[in-house]
């Protein structure tokens, strides 16, 4: 009646199902209350000495294979049929599990294109292979009313019905999502979130009043995920008020990202669970490792960071505050075990109002000034750059200073035999800059170029302009695609002049 | 403080005032005492001007001016001052080194007692990994792309062109063990010039793989990358190959200069000949306008040897050779992380300007991460950034290994080497952005450009990560 290729699976009854899950070496009877976790093979990597069973599609798809001859009632399991037959006063026989050791059985998918068709990738569970076959190679007969998602396996469909529409997520921008993962993905790119986080991260002060603000800021940014907001609310009153709320705040984005990580790991889509392991110290459900092993990337980073200060390289048993998801403190721990160990240092040492401008800002400012005429006067005023001899403000100190230096440098120049023409030339110009004559001729090189400096995008163009003003155009800058095309042309003329000056150190 | 324009005028006015108060004859010891009076912002601007001035003099070869400028800068710059002071210190050291090289005897003598401490190098690289998010991001993106590409593969072989940081592969092992189809058989080939580093890697990785029950094998190759013997890699057919290159490719461009010199000299020799031919054609032709126009075009396109940066693929034999060899391995995936800034300009000034911005961003990051007294910060600044700056500014030819280039150039180069760009996946970018957000330090951004990830600090692109595979 039933087509079987090898042995009948009938012997694999419900009672033995648990045993079939265990590897063949492990035959401990399951304790009633808290069974010790049986060692599960990783999915799709079966025991090498297990018996491989190949069932036909019909067998796999069949629902009620055991039919009562009297009333034609169908049963999925033989045991149930036998019990039913008792009711008809028919002879019945319950088959016992075979007393000898049950050989572990693994099942392959009959569909040749399937990965699990290969015996090395067989699945260990009969129900599993049946569901797999239906899901992947079967027709989707069950449909959810609300979201019209279709399922081939009835149990999948039922499971979906429980959660469909029960939770809705709303992003700040107003978009509604029924699925957590699409909501989360959307949030990453939502502008509203970007603004919120930008604002939220800027709040630095140690004001206690900030706390509720922080909370609302975080919760209004679309962390509609209940766990995170609840835990946040647990945290804030509990959090030490003297503690820098920046700490709370810093943890907040980490919090969100953490819960994301855990959530995505629980939703068993392959790509997201992969991230979870890289990105957040989540529960990797497959590995049965204790939480104290330095589990992930970020843990390693911070573990390394911490132990770098103390010992050499961290051993795996450093009981760092890695993720104990079960405990309610997990967020505070995990936030610290995520990425930012250097961040903690940063918080300690961060010079709050920095008296010194950052170097990048200084460069941009210099670039701006390079476009402005005031720059030339600055340099002249500083007396450091080449003040052309014809310049009106010839401070006496300039002459003296340069004269003094000139006296020094002459022997140097002569001694090195460089024979720079500047020695013989006019006092200042020759000394200060080689092709200085050009500076006199073209004091407004910048105006010729018509540079319009934009602070944000100034970058090289601005500094080049500054440079041009310093050197008076005697410079070969060939910056690609910059508005200094004019400068390049101008400097091309200067190039032959420069060749007279000593060894070209280009 | 006063708004911007007022501030700038105050900058211009105060030094003038100070200047006028200056004593007439400065002593040799401290010629410019008033320089010390400057406030940090003015000092910073002053330093920038001085630096550019000095560089200009170096470029033009006027040595006394260089000396003066260096003297002035030395009054202001300091390796343990504020960001701008530090940057100036390292840049001027590089400029001085450059000048000194012209007296090679002197240069050699001064460097003869230099001892390198490999343990310090290792420490400094580790600090770079820890203190900045760049390597972490590169690793996360690399790992993620590998996992995506290797979905369903059962034999995976990864070649790491600079195998120094175990954290990257440990994270990959963990991610692979969580794969729904189970982990593949993983083989990692690590290349590094130092044996101890590879031993450490092997130990850490095999330990982790055992814990996770992943069939794993680590093959160390003790070799400099440029001398790599591709046979040793033992790439087998049937395995899925991934190559990870983190900041390694640019040093191959160091061999370009010789080639270019030969090429340009050839071109200049030939150009006259070519033009002569064209002139003859023009006289002889009866085709008239069409040909004339063509010739005109050809004239205007005469080779310009003073291009701003070396031609990408046509003039890089060593790089091309290496890329070809990689291509020949037929990797399923190659992930390349490089600095995203043009430090390979043919003129000093170009390189100086670009690297000034680049390292300013990095120094700023350090400033906001560690205090000024931190030894680690000093080490990173001196032994990592300082050395890179010195290489970019002072070295030429084969010596100059830090040949960073912009992402577009790398794309061009890899394209013509037979690779096809694989845009990084949506999820990958999401996760990377998330990670960076959670990092805590402001100013870091990651953006997508031509399908590659670019990590920026304050809108300055710093590093790029791109994925490639063989073009079919």
């Amino acid at each position: 009646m039933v087509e079987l290729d090898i042995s009948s699976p009938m012997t694999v009854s419900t009672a033995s199902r648990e045993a079939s899950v265990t590897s063949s070496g492990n035959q401990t009877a399951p304790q009633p209350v808290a069974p010790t976790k049986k060692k599960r093979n990783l999915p799709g990597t079966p025991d090498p000495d297990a018996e491989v069973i190949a069932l036909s599609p019909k067998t796999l798809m069949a629902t009620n294979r055991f039919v009562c001859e009297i009333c034609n009632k169908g049963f999925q399991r033989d045991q149930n049929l036998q019990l039913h037959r008792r009711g008809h006063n028919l002879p019945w026989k319950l088959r016992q599990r075979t007393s000898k050791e049950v050989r572990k059985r693994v099942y392959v998918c009959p569909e040749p294109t399937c990965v699990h068709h290969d015996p090395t990738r067989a699945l260990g569970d009969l129900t599993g292979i049946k569901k797999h076959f239906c899901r992947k190679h079967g027709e989707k007969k069950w449909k959810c009313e609300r979201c019209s998602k279709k399922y081939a396996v009835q149990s999948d469909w039922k499971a979906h019905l429980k959660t469909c529409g029960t939770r809705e997520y709303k992003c700040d921008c107003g978009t509604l999502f029924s699925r957590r993962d699409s909501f989360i993905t959307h949030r990453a790119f939502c502008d509203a979130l970007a603004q919120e986080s930008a604002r939220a991260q800027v709040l630095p002060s140690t004001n206690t009043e900030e706390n509720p603000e922080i909370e609302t800021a975080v919760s209004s940014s679309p962390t509609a995920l209940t766990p995170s907001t609840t835990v946040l609310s647990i945290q804030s009153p509990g959090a030490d008020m003297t503690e820098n709320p920046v700490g709370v705040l810093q943890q907040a984005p980490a919090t969100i990202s953490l819960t994301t990580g855990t959530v995505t790991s629980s939703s068993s889509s392959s790509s997201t669970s992969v991230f979870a392991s890289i990105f957040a110290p989540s529960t990797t459900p497959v590995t049965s490792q204790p939480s104290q092993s330095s589990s992930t990337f970020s843990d390693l980073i911070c573990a390394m960071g911490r132990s770098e200060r103390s010992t050499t390289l961290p051993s795996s048993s450093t009981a760092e505050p890695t993720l104990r998801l079960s405990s309610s403190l997990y967020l505070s721990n995990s936030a610290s075990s995520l990425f930012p160990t250097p961040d903690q240092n940063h918080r300690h040492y961060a010079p709050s109002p920095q008296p010194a401008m950052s170097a990048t800002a200084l460069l941009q400012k210099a670039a701006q000034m390079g476009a402005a005429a005031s720059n030339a006067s600055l340099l002249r005023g500083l007396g450091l750059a080449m003040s052309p001899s014809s310049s009106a403000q010839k401070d006496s100190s300039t002459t003296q200073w340069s004269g003094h230096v000139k006296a020094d440098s002459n022997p140097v120049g002569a001694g090195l035999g460089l024979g720079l023409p500047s020695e013989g030339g006019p006092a200042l110009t020759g000394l200060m800059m080689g092709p200085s004559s050009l500076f006199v001729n073209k004091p407004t090189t910048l105006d010729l170029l018509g540079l319009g400096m934009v602070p944000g995008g100034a970058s090289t163009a601005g500094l080049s302009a500054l440079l041009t003003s310093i050197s008076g155009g005697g410079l070969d800058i060939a910056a690609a695609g910059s508005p200094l095309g004019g400068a390049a042309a101008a400097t091309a003329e200067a190039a032959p002049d420069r060749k007279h000056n000593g060894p070209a150190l280009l | 403080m006063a708004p911007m324009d007022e501030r700038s005028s105050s900058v211009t006015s105060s030094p003038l005032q100070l200047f006028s108060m200056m004593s007439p004859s400065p002593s040799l010891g401290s010629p410019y005492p008033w320089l010390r009076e400057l406030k940090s912002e003015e000092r910073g601007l002053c330093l920038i001007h001085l630096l550019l001035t000095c560089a200009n003099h170096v470029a033009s070869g006027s040595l006394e001016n260089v000396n003066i400028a260096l003297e002035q800068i030395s009054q202001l710059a300091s390796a343990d001052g504020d960001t701008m002071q530090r940057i100036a210190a390292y840049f001027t050291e590089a400029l001085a080194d450059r000048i000194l090289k012209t007296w090679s005897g002197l240069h050699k003598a001064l460097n003869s007692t230099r001892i390198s401490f490999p343990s310090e190098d290792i420490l400094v690289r580790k600090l770079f990994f820890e203190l900045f998010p760049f390597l972490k991001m590169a690793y996360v993106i690399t790992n993620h792309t590998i996992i995506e590409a290797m979905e369903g593969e059962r034999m995976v072989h990864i070649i790491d062109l600079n195998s120094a940081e175990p954290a990257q592969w440990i994270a990959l092992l963990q991610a692979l063990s969580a794969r729904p189809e189970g982990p593949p058989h993983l083989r990692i080939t690590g290349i590094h010039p130092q044996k101890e580093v590879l031993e450490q890697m092997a130990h850490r990785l095999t330990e982790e793989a055992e814990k996770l029950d992943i069939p794993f094998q680590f093959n160390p190759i003790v070799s400099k990358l440029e001398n790599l013997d591709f046979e040793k890699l033992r790439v087998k057919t049937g395995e899925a190959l991934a190559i990870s290159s983190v900041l390694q490719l640019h040093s191959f461009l160091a061999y370009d200069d010789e080639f270019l010199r030969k090429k340009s000299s050839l071109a200049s020799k030939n150009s006259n000949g070519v033009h002569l031919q064209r002139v003859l054609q023009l006289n002889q032709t009866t085709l008239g306008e069409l040909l004339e126009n063509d010739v005109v075009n050809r004239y205007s396109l005469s080779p310009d040897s003073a291009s701003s940066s070396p031609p990408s693929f046509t003039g890089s034999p060593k790089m091309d050779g290496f890329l070809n060899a990689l291509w020949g391995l037929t990797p399923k995936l190659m992930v390349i992380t490089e600095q995203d800034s043009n430090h390979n300009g043919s003129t000093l000034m170009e390189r100086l300007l670009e690297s000034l911005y680049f390292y300013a961003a990095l120094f700023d990051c350090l400033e906001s991460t560690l205090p000024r007294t931190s030894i680690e910060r000093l080490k990173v600044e001196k032994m990592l950034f300082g050395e890179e700056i010195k290489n970019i500014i002072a070295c030429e030819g084969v010596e100059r290994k830090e040949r960073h280039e912009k992402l577009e150039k790398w794309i061009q180069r890899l394209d013509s080497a037979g690779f096809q760009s694989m845009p990084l996946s949506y999820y990958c970018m999401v996760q990377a952005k998330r990670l960076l957000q959670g990092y805590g330090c402001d100013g870091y951004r990651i953006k997508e450009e031509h399908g590659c990830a670019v990590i920026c600090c304050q809108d300055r692109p710093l590093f790029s990560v791109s994925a490639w595979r063989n073009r079919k």
Side-chain angles (χ1 to χ4, degrees):
Chain A
M1 164 166 79
V2 216
E3 291 166 358
L4 293 170
D5 289 339
I6 309 184
S7 51
S8 153
M10 287 185 197
T11 50
V12 183
S13 57
T14 24
S16 67
R17 199 199 301 156
E18 253 187 308
S20 73
V21 170
T22 71
S23 65
S24 51
N26 206 355
Q27 279 294 315
T28 54
Q31 281 96 22
V33 182
T36 51
K37 270 240 168 167
K38 302 296 191 308
K39 178 175 173 235
R40 285 194 123 190
N41 277 329
L42 295 168
T45 54
D47 233 353
D49 54 3
E51 188 183 340
V52 180
I53 301 183
L55 303 167
S56 74
K58 208 167 159 193
T59 322
L60 289 178
M61 297 268 290
T63 46
N64 300 337
R65 290 172 306 170
F66 306 97
V67 184
C68 170
E69 55 231 23
I70 308 233
C71 54
N72 280 330
K73 192 169 155 90
F75 295 92
Q76 293 208 9
R77 296 193 178 90
D78 181 51
Q79 307 274 44
N80 300 350
L81 173 63
Q82 297 305 318
L83 292 172
H84 167 82
R85 280 163 64 103
R86 281 197 305 193
H88 290 306
N89 295 318
L90 282 172
W92 55 274
K93 183 178 184 220
L94 275 176
R95 290 207 194 187
Q96 305 282 14
R97 259 186 63 189
T98 49
S99 50
K100 59 176 174 103
E101 292 252 323
V102 173
R103 182 122 174 261
K104 169 128 174 78
R105 295 164 194 268
V106 292
Y107 305 89
V108 290
C109 183
E111 172 67 37
T113 59
C114 186
V115 147
H116 296 293
H117 186 69
D118 183 359
T120 55
R121 304 293 291 269
L123 298 176
D125 189 44
L126 175 63
T127 324
I129 191 77
K130 283 159 103 177
K131 285 199 175 169
H132 157 80
F133 188 75
C134 278
R135 259 186 222 127
K136 291 288 170 59
H137 314 299
E139 181 202 327
K140 299 192 176 175
K141 289 179 272 199
W142 306 92
K143 183 180 153 186
C144 170
E145 293 305 323
R146 263 181 251 179
C147 61
S148 25
K149 197 165 145 77
K150 289 197 162 180
Y151 294 91
V153 179
Q154 190 187 14
S155 53
D156 294 345
W157 173 74
K158 277 195 197 163
H160 168 80
L161 283 182
K162 285 188 194 165
T163 55
C164 183
T166 47
R167 268 183 161 194
E168 287 205 328
Y169 307 96
K170 183 171 173 191
C171 176
D172 255 13
C173 64
T175 327
L176 281 173
F177 295 90
S178 59
R179 295 176 54 124
R180 196 165 206 160
D181 48 357
S182 42
F183 166 59
I184 288 163
T185 316
H186 164 85
R187 261 199 311 132
F189 290 120
C190 188
D191 288 341
L193 171 65
Q195 283 166 22
E196 283 291 324
S197 60
R199 266 197 293 131
Q201 279 191 7
V202 161
L203 300 171
S205 60
T206 57
N207 217 341
T208 52
E209 293 156 15
E210 293 253 345
N211 257 338
E213 218 182 282
I214 291 167
E215 213 184 304
T216 49
V218 172
S219 56
S220 68
S221 81
T223 331
L225 307 171
T226 11
S228 62
T229 39
T230 5
V231 179
L232 261 182
S233 53
I234 291 172
Q235 238 188 350
S236 39
D240 193 6
M241 278 314 188
T242 59
E243 183 190 316
N244 198 347
V246 175
V248 174
L249 194 58
Q250 294 292 3
Q251 289 175 352
T255 305
I256 300 170
S257 45
L258 173 67
T259 41
T260 312
T262 44
V263 165
T264 50
S265 70
S266 55
S267 79
S268 57
S269 53
S270 59
S271 50
T272 45
S273 64
V274 152
F275 296 113
S277 64
I278 293 180
F279 170 57
S282 65
T283 53
T284 41
V286 180
T287 56
S288 53
Q289 301 300 325
S291 63
Q292 67 181 8
S293 66
S294 57
S295 38
T296 66
F297 194 97
S298 15
D299 285 350
L300 272 172
I301 293 166
C302 63
M304 265 189 300
R306 271 192 224 117
S307 60
E308 195 64 59
R309 322 249 183 265
S310 46
T311 57
T312 47
L313 290 166
S315 61
S316 56
S317 57
T318 41
E320 292 291 355
T322 51
L323 200 53
R324 297 175 197 98
L325 277 180
S326 47
S327 86
S328 60
L329 294 173
Y330 79 98
L331 278 173
S332 55
N333 280 344
S334 61
S336 62
S337 69
L338 269 183
F339 233 43
T341 307
D343 173 55
Q344 293 183 350
N345 289 338
H346 148 236
R347 262 181 266 135
H348 286 309
Y349 299 122
S352 19
Q354 294 184 8
M357 276 175 83
S358 74
T360 318
L362 277 172
L363 283 169
Q364 283 170 351
K365 184 157 187 204
Q368 272 183 310
M369 289 172 64
S374 63
N375 171 56
S377 58
L378 162 65
L379 294 178
R380 261 179 259 127
L382 287 174
L384 299 166
M386 14 331 250
S387 21
S389 47
S390 61
S391 157
Q393 48 272 53
K394 215 23 203 325
D395 297 315
S396 55
S397 12
T398 318
T399 334
Q400 282 183 324
W401 163 59
S402 52
H404 161 78
V405 180
K406 185 178 185 218
D408 268 350
S409 64
N410 271 337
V412 174
L416 293 171
L418 295 168
L420 295 173
S422 53
E423 292 170 16
L428 282 172
T429 46
L431 178 66
M432 287 309 189
M433 52 180 199
S436 56
S437 51
L438 285 174
F439 184 85
V440 179
N441 295 338
K442 294 180 191 172
T444 52
T445 320
L446 293 164
D447 296 343
L448 286 180
L449 299 174
L451 293 163
M453 285 299 131
V454 178
S459 69
T460 324
L463 271 188
S464 308
L466 173 58
L467 197 48
T468 320
S469 73
I470 292 174
S471 65
L475 187 66
D476 178 31
I477 309 171
S482 71
L484 292 176
T491 56
E493 303 164 44
D497 291 344
R498 284 199 295 106
K499 285 194 184 133
H500 300 308
N501 298 334
L505 287 176
L506 274 180
Chain B
M1 268 197 91
M4 195 63 129
D5 28 25
E6 269 186 71
R7 206 183 289 153
S8 59
S9 58
S10 73
V11 171
T12 52
S13 54
S14 56
L16 273 173
Q17 288 165 3
L18 287 168
F19 192 64
S20 56
M21 291 188 292
M22 198 180 96
S23 59
S25 55
S27 63
L28 269 173
S30 57
Y32 320 110
W34 54 271
L35 282 174
R36 286 189 232 269
E37 306 287 326
L38 292 177
K39 285 184 236 128
S40 91
E41 186 189 320
E42 293 160 0
R43 180 178 57 206
L45 290 170
C46 203
L47 272 172
I48 296 174
H49 290 154
L50 286 172
L51 202 55
L52 294 176
T53 311
C54 182
N56 186 25
H57 289 313
V58 169
S60 60
S62 40
L63 291 166
E64 309 100 41
N65 295 338
V66 171
N67 194 39
I68 297 164
L70 286 177
E71 182 71 55
Q72 292 160 6
I73 294 176
S74 69
Q75 303 295 316
L76 296 176
S78 159
D80 47 18
D82 71 21
T83 336
M84 201 61 227
Q85 284 180 298
R86 292 175 189 228
I87 294 174
Y90 292 110
F91 272 88
T92 46
E93 187 185 1
L95 286 168
D97 198 54
R98 187 184 174 92
I99 297 245
L100 201 60
K101 280 194 160 124
T102 56
W103 291 280
S104 62
L106 203 59
H107 189 258
K108 283 185 187 132
L110 277 173
N111 287 326
S112 60
T113 55
R114 177 192 273 203
I115 310 171
S116 64
F117 296 95
S119 57
E120 289 288 290
D121 290 334
I122 295 172
L123 173 68
V124 161
R125 298 216 175 264
K126 205 155 198 82
L127 285 174
F128 182 63
F129 167 68
E130 283 174 15
L131 298 174
F132 296 96
F134 310 120
L135 287 186
K136 294 171 189 167
M137 298 298 299
Y139 295 157
V140 165
I141 294 176
T142 306
N143 286 354
H144 182 92
T145 318
I146 289 178
I147 288 173
E148 273 181 358
M150 299 300 174
E151 203 175 306
E153 293 287 345
R154 286 160 50 200
M155 298 280 299
V156 176
H157 181 193
I158 297 180
I159 297 179
D160 187 356
L161 296 189
N162 184 42
S163 186
E165 187 50 67
Q168 177 180 14
W169 305 122
I170 290 178
L172 183 70
L173 283 169
Q174 286 158 359
L176 284 174
S177 76
R179 248 180 18 161
E181 69 249 42
H185 180 102
L186 181 64
R187 191 152 77 93
I188 296 184
T189 301
I191 304 165
H192 198 274
Q194 289 168 289
K195 196 169 76 143
E196 299 75 27
V197 172
L198 288 176
E199 281 171 0
Q200 185 61 250
M201 279 285 277
H203 175 72
R204 297 287 312 283
L205 293 183
T206 39
E207 192 182 41
E208 189 69 24
E210 269 171 42
K211 255 195 291 166
L212 296 169
D213 199 24
I214 298 178
F216 174 74
Q217 209 185 346
F218 183 79
N219 298 331
I221 297 186
V222 183
S223 163
K224 280 196 184 170
L225 200 58
E226 62 223 26
N227 304 331
L228 180 64
D229 180 7
F230 278 76
E231 299 296 317
K232 283 198 196 158
L233 294 173
R234 288 194 285 137
V235 174
K236 301 180 189 151
T237 52
E239 65 184 8
L241 179 65
I243 302 177
S244 163
S245 162
V246 177
L247 310 179
Q248 295 304 303
L249 286 186
H250 56 252
S251 59
F252 283 95
L253 296 171
Y255 300 90
D256 286 359
D257 288 355
E258 282 174 40
F259 186 78
L260 257 185
R261 229 178 289 130
K262 288 180 201 152
K263 188 167 183 262
S264 63
S265 64
L266 274 174
S268 59
K269 274 186 214 153
N270 286 340
S271 62
N272 293 331
V274 168
H275 294 175
L276 193 57
Q277 271 184 347
R278 289 289 164 213
V279 167
L280 288 173
Q281 255 185 342
L282 185 59
N283 290 339
Q284 288 167 12
T285 189
T286 53
L287 288 177
E289 265 143 336
L290 268 175
L291 196 55
E292 244 180 316
N293 287 340
D294 198 24
V295 171
V296 165
N297 288 338
R298 300 257 165 107
Y299 270 108
S300 58
L301 287 173
S302 58
D304 178 18
S305 53
S307 58
S308 65
S309 43
S312 48
F313 43 91
T314 53
S316 320
K318 195 105 182 187
M319 168 65 92
D320 286 343
F322 190 72
L323 287 178
N324 276 335
L326 288 179
W327 187 90
L329 298 175
T330 55
K332 192 160 182 195
L333 169 72
M334 184 162 72
V335 186
I336 294 179
T337 306
E338 281 292 330
Q339 287 93 340
D340 186 14
S341 186
N342 183 21
H343 299 159
N344 199 15
S346 50
T347 66
L348 172 68
M349 288 317 300
E350 266 184 87
R351 299 204 298 270
L352 186 97
L353 291 174
E354 282 295 320
S355 52
L356 204 53
Y357 276 102
F358 185 81
Y359 288 100
L362 289 175
F363 273 73
D364 283 338
C365 292
L366 271 179
E367 171 84 4
S368 57
T369 315
L370 289 175
R372 289 187 191 167
T373 50
S374 157
I375 295 285
E376 280 136 356
R377 176 178 168 182
L378 284 170
K379 280 188 181 167
V380 172
E381 286 174 353
K382 179 168 177 63
M383 295 166 65
L384 190 60
F385 297 153
E387 290 301 310
E388 283 180 10
I389 292 170
K390 208 185 278 189
N391 193 267
I392 294 173
I393 303 284
C395 299
E396 291 292 345
V398 182
E399 262 193 346
R400 176 152 59 93
K401 298 279 182 199
E402 301 293 337
R403 301 223 176 205
H404 313 152
E405 291 198 335
K406 294 291 290 177
L407 178 62
E408 289 76 28
K409 290 216 102 148
W410 286 113
I411 292 178
Q412 261 184 348
R413 190 169 276 123
L414 287 160
D415 237 5
S416 54
F419 291 98
Q420 186 175 29
S421 167
M422 284 172 59
L424 298 173
S425 80
Y426 186 76
Y427 277 124
C428 185
M429 294 302 291
V430 165
Q431 288 298 327
K433 283 185 171 122
R434 256 255 156 115
L435 200 63
L436 208 51
Q437 265 182 358
Y439 189 67
C441 185
D442 243 357
Y444 290 123
R445 302 263 180 276
I446 185 165
K447 62 178 182 183
E448 191 174 331
E449 215 176 273
H450 311 295
C452 312
V454 179
I455 308 163
C456 314
C457 185
Q458 310 290 355
D459 299 324
R460 174 99 200 156
L462 294 178
F463 292 89
S464 68
V465 187
S466 54
W468 302 85
R469 61 154 182 222
N470 279 27
R471 192 179 295 124
K472 298 190 172 72

